[in-house]
Structures are given as structure tokens and as C-alpha cells.
């Protein structure tokens, strides 16, 4: 089984929906951390995105996992209030920064 299939099958792909705005964040739980992805923008917060994906043009496995999960309609969804959105983004940014500095 590929890493992509494993991520999808294990429930590592998560959709966070914020109401009432309808904002959506996709998270993939990786080996070392949780990675924020934006499949519409082709963005991931993992190191591979910065060091390989941007130069080679090939999406990282986190983005591929989100795309597969969307196609297969197989992801874990969570609902949050819009009041929690800013705090959630701040936590994501701090986590992403600490991962990149390792």
C-alpha cells in the first residue's frame, strides 16, 4: 500500500469546516506533525513542499492524499465555529514555523 493510500485509509486526512462562513482547512497527519494543505492553491506546510515540490513541480504526498481522499470521499470531517478560526490559524502557523526550523 502506498503512503497516499495509507494516509487516506488510516483517517489521517482531515477536513476542518468553519461555520457559518463555510471556510475549509485540510490537515494531513504525517509521521512528525500535522500538515496544513490547500488543494485549491496546491500548497502544503511540509518541508518537502518547500524543498522539492516548488522546484520539481510535483505535489507532496500530503497534497496527493487530500486529492485522493476528496475523490474517494474518505476523510474525517470536523465542524468548528468561525470564532475559532483565527486561533486555529495562529496555532497552525506556529506549528509550521517550528517544523521548518528543525
Amino acid at each position: 500500500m502506498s503512503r497516499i493510500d495509507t494516509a487516506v485509509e488510516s483517517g489521517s486526512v482531515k477536513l476542518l469546516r468553519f461555520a457559518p462562513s463555510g471556510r475549509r482547512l485540510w490537515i494531513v497527519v504525517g509521521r512528525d506533525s500535522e500538515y496544513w494543505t490547500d488543494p485549491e492553491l496546491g500548497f502544503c506546510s511540509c518541508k518537502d513542499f518547500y524543498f522539492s515540490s516548488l522546484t520539481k513541480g510535483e505535489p507532496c504526498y500530503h497534497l496527493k492524499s487530500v486529492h485522493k481522499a476528496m475523490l474517494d470521499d474518505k476523510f474525517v470531517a470536523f465542524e468548528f465555529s468561525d470564532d475559532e478560526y483565527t486561533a486555529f490559524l495562529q496555532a497552525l502557523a506556529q506549528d509550521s514555523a517550528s517544523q521548518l526550523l528543525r
Side-chain angles (χ1 to χ4, degrees), residues 71-82:
L71 285 173
D72 295 350
D73 196 30
K74 193 164 190 171
F75 49 85
V76 181
F78 297 95
E79 304 289 330
F80 294 94
S81 165
D82 281 335

Side-chain angles (χ1 to χ4, degrees), residues 6-77:
T6 300
V8 173
E9 294 299 320
S10 70
S12 294
V13 179
K14 303 182 184 318
L15 170 62
L16 312 180
R17 284 180 248 193
F18 294 84
S21 68
R23 292 177 180 142
R24 300 158 61 103
L25 293 173
W26 289 92
I27 303 294
V28 178
V29 179
R31 281 183 262 165
D32 302 323
S33 185
E34 293 183 354
Y35 300 100
W36 166 49
T37 69
D38 188 325
E40 294 175 13
L41 295 176
F43 170 81
C44 182
S45 65
C46 74
K47 287 182 182 181
D48 187 48
F49 177 80
Y50 290 102
F51 299 116
S52 297
S53 297
L54 287 176
T55 57
K56 296 177 186 172
E58 179 72 21
C60 65
Y61 99 91
H62 306 108
L63 278 170
K64 290 178 182 179
S65 298
V66 169
H67 286 291
K68 179 167 180 45
M70 292 168 73
L71 285 173
D72 295 350
D73 196 30
K74 193 164 190 171
F75 49 85
V76 181

